Amino acid sequence: MRRSDTGSDTDSELDSVGSSRTGGGPWAAAGANLALGVLATFPGMCVHWLMTEYLPMDCGSQGTRGTGCDPDIFVSASFYMWGAGIGGLVVLALLVIVDVLMPRQEGWPRRLWLGMAVLVPVPFVVGLALGRF
């Protein structure tokens, strides 16, 4: 409490704003992690492509002349590998910032934010279920 110019006791502006802020609740944690999930669709698509297109090829001892070998896939493979690696690292760094460092700095419950991290793959899984990826 501080004394205003008129002589009455009032809360300072910072105290009234700080006490009315309820950031860090379950809706904020869910929204932030779902937004991270939207960003995580790019490395997710890269890993999905690597698992479904690149790994099942049967080149065998015949090199790229095998029946299941497609030489065009070899051209695209490095893009998807780099996309999965770098994109995954970026999403992991953002996940640490949003779910660990930010709640720690603001005094929000970290257990809630870390628990909501399970929502990160939801946009990718929904995209797969709808046949968009």
Side-chain angles (χ1 to χ4, degrees), residues 74-86:
F74 286 113
V75 174
S76 302
S78 63
F79 169 77
Y80 287 103
M81 286 182 196
W82 281 100
I86 292 176

Side-chain angles (χ1 to χ4, degrees), residues 23-24 100-110 113:
V100 176
L101 299 178
M102 212 171 70
R104 181 178 176 193
Q105 177 183 355
E106 299 293 329
W108 298 334
R110 275 182 287 190
W113 283 78

Side-chain angles (χ1 to χ4, degrees), residues 67-117:
T67 57
C69 252
D70 185 9
D72 293 334
I73 288 184
F74 286 113
V75 174
S76 302
S78 63
F79 169 77
Y80 287 103
M81 286 182 196
W82 281 100
I86 292 176
L89 287 175
V90 168
V91 169
L92 183 63
L94 288 172
L95 193 66
V96 168
I97 290 170
V98 168
D99 288 337
V100 176
L101 299 178
M102 212 171 70
R104 181 178 176 193
Q105 177 183 355
E106 299 293 329
W108 298 334
R110 275 182 287 190
R111 181 175 289 181
L112 171 69
W113 283 78
L114 288 172
M116 291 288 184

Side-chain angles (χ1 to χ4, degrees), residues 9-54:
D9 290 333
T10 60
D11 289 333
S12 68
E13 290 179 30
L14 182 61
D15 291 339
S16 65
V17 171
S19 64
S20 67
R21 273 185 39 190
T22 59
W27 289 107
N33 282 298
L34 285 172
L36 278 175
V38 171
L39 292 175
T41 56
F42 175 70
M45 287 188 308
C46 291
V47 170
H48 182 261
W49 184 89
L50 288 169
M51 299 298 275
T52 59
E53 300 291 329
Y54 186 68

